[in-house]
Amino acid sequence: TGLDPAGIRDFYRILAELKAGGTTVVLSSHNLAEIQDRVDRVGLIRDGRIRAVGAVQALREERRLPLAVDFRLRPWARHVVLQALAALADCRVDLGPDRGTVTCDPARRMAVLSILTSLGDAVTELRLREPSLEDLFLAYTEP
């Protein structure tokens, strides 16, 4: 906390060098967004009790939290996209005039991507959003 961007970069570079040298690094942080892509394993603690330990992806798979596929679409393609996504009855589709999001079970990832990529230039951009470390923390620690 309190480091400028250069200091943060140096801090994580030093940790990476220690790790590469075989050192185990234990890092405690409340800034989950900052560490989620920098750790191999996490321990989620609430009220002094360990609620979960494991690799971030393994914990995501265990909880089967939904993932999101964000995309941009051409304004003329809204109806075409909506019709194609109707095949995903078990997913939530939010569609605006030029952007959309499909939220679904992780097992449906390839089906969603297949449909969206089959639409040619109707869809101009895709971005997959896995559940964040914050989402995992809440899933494992909320009553």
Side-chain angles (χ1 to χ4, degrees):
T1 301
L3 294 175
D4 63 25
I8 291 169
R9 184 181 314 140
D10 288 343
F11 174 74
Y12 285 109
R13 180 187 49 76
I14 291 166
L15 292 184
E17 288 171 3
L18 290 168
K19 177 184 168 191
T23 301
T24 297
V25 177
V26 177
L27 176 65
S28 175
S29 178
H30 287 88
N31 190 341
L32 302 181
E34 184 174 301
I35 67 166
Q36 78 178 6
D37 294 327
R38 294 180 161 121
V39 297
D40 296 322
R41 293 172 43 87
V42 295
L44 302 174
I45 301 171
R46 180 150 187 182
D47 299 327
R49 297 182 60 223
I50 295 174
R51 305 300 174 102
V53 175
V56 174
Q57 190 58 38
L59 295 176
R60 282 181 181 138
E61 291 169 8
E62 182 177 295
R63 282 297 164 142
R64 296 188 65 88
L65 295 178
L67 62 83
V69 179
D70 298 319
F71 57 95
R72 294 184 66 110
L73 63 143
R74 301 207 187 272
W76 56 262
R78 189 174 193 283
H79 179 72
V80 172
V81 171
L82 195 55
Q83 189 174 19
L85 293 174
L88 301 171
D90 56 338
C91 298
R92 190 178 90 225
V93 177
D94 298 306
L95 201 57
D98 65 345
R99 296 174 189 263
T101 300
V102 177
T103 306
C104 60
D105 185 282
R108 301 289 283 149
R109 162 190 348 239
M110 295 310 292
V112 172
L113 293 174
S114 178
I115 289 171
L116 290 172
T117 57
S118 75
L119 296 174
D121 68 345
V123 173
T124 61
E125 184 180 318
L126 287 173
R127 192 182 93 202
L128 189 66
R129 276 189 296 127
E130 295 276 355
S132 68
L133 191 49
E134 181 178 306
D135 295 331
L136 282 173
F137 177 82
L138 294 171
Y140 277 98
T141 62
E142 291 208 335

